[in-house]
Amino acid sequence: MATIGLIAGSGMQGWHEQSIEQQPIDTPYGPPSAAIERFELNQVTVHQVARHGQPHTVPPHRVNYRANIWALKELGCEAIVAVNTVGGINANMGPGTLLVPDQIIDLTWGRAQSFWDSADDEPRHVDFTEPYDAALRQQLLHAAEHESLAMHDGGVYLATQGPRLETAAEIRHYRTMQADVVGMTGMPEAALARELGIPFAVIGVVVNWAAGLAGPTLDFIEIEQQQKTCIRQVARVIWRLTNELTKIVTYQQ
Ligand code: HPA
């Protein structure tokens, strides 16, 4: 039976109706954002961590990314899917777009970026040319296709520190950097998964136009509504992914 990790983003509380086993777990890096929830979906074991805690109290710059990834590895996850809400910069990636990004620009700072940062460790470097797992990305895209949901193949995810949103000038600058979407949680999550050798991919959920691209300010009520609509689609993609994993598991050990 395949075992996957799911990092649930904003708005995903109660997205499925499976019965859940709560697994309190500690790690050498402290506790994860919340107890890890275990449930079965289409005969796949899913270990889910709510990135922002349960209830939602942990802001992006305070998430214990190392503990979350470590805990999922400890629980035997063979792959991790993360769901991240983002703002759209690319004119083709407006609110309501789902995407599977293929690249990252990291502008976060002050977060624990590595499992190997003790003074006693030998410096170690992982290859991060392609930050996401190609096979897992394809499986997410197939899952969306089989659900007849549009999902963009690729895109540059630019990670900001937050928790504030960006200025209009920052977004204009990020556009010149070829960023397609902007979010606060994509890093160091992806790099930490790579350090532990776990295939990792993201479902990006565009919930607003990035700052300055539509109107003078961001409308948080609209963002919340958009998030709700999108998460229903994300749920279908994850359901289909697990349904098909039992048939086409390319990364299973
Ligand atoms: N910027 C940064 N993070 C986000 C945004 C945004 O516009 N929307 C959702 N997460």
Side-chain angles (χ1 to χ4, degrees):
M1 188 190 270
T3 301
I4 64 167
L6 180 64
I7 304 181
S10 302
M12 286 186 71
Q13 306 86 325
W15 70 269
H16 67 87
E17 291 173 351
Q18 308 310 112
S19 82
I20 288 168
E21 182 197 331
Q22 299 274 356
Q23 308 168 106
I25 182 165
D26 206 1
T27 78
Y29 306 95
S33 298
I36 313 276
E37 298 180 342
R38 178 188 191 279
F39 53 91
E40 310 283 314
L41 212 52
N42 291 311
Q43 293 171 348
V44 171
T45 301
V46 182
H47 294 288
Q48 170 175 285
V49 60
R51 185 190 287 114
H52 298 286
Q54 198 92 274
H56 189 293
T57 52
V58 188
H61 61 295
R62 293 200 175 278
V63 171
N64 191 341
Y65 294 97
R66 289 195 299 187
N68 290 350
I69 298 287
W70 188 272
L72 294 177
K73 171 84 174 175
E74 277 286 297
L75 291 165
C77 295
E78 298 156 290
I80 297 176
V81 173
V83 182
N84 302 65
T85 58
V86 291
I89 299 178
N90 182 317
N92 296 319
M93 297 188 195
T97 303
L98 299 184
L99 71 145
V100 183
D102 62 350
Q103 275 297 332
I104 298 173
I105 297 171
D106 184 13
L107 297 183
T108 64
W109 49 269
R111 303 181 181 188
Q113 300 277 355
S114 173
F115 289 110
W116 306 314
D117 70 346
S118 128
D120 305 330
D121 286 342
E122 283 265 308
R124 287 165 83 171
H125 306 281
V126 286
D127 180 81
F128 207 43
T129 314
E130 297 299 332
Y132 300 115
D133 183 75
L136 188 57
R137 287 188 65 256
Q138 286 311 316
Q139 283 169 328
L140 286 170
L141 291 163
H142 281 138
E145 195 183 328
H146 292 165
E147 283 294 309
S148 305
L149 288 168
M151 190 177 244
H152 219 95
D153 179 359
V156 177
Y157 180 113
L158 186 143
T160 55
Q161 175 66 359
R164 66 165 178 84
L165 277 298
E166 298 71 41
T167 67
E170 284 170 333
I171 293 300
R172 286 196 296 273
H173 178 51
Y174 298 163
R175 181 177 264 167
T176 69
M177 295 166 77
Q178 322 279 315
D180 294 303
V181 293
V182 57
M184 301 175 192
T185 50
M187 282 293 286
E189 226 165 59
L192 292 168
R194 177 60 53 85
E195 283 192 353
L196 296 188
I198 312 174
F200 179 91
V202 157
I203 302 176
V205 180
V206 183
V207 292
N208 58 284
W209 282 114
L213 299 184
T217 55
L218 299 185
D219 181 336
F220 289 98
I221 295 177
E222 242 175 70
I223 290 179
E224 206 165 301
Q225 278 163 359
Q226 187 65 65
Q227 196 168 280
K228 278 197 185 123
T229 312
C230 289
I231 294 305
R232 282 196 286 274
Q233 299 182 345
V234 169
R236 285 169 56 197
V237 174
I238 295 168
W239 183 89
R240 178 66 72 166
L241 176 79
T242 56
N243 187 266
E244 301 193 342
L245 271 181
T246 53
K247 289 178 234 152
I248 41 158
V249 182
T250 58
Y251 53 78
Q252 200 175 12
Q253 290 152 0

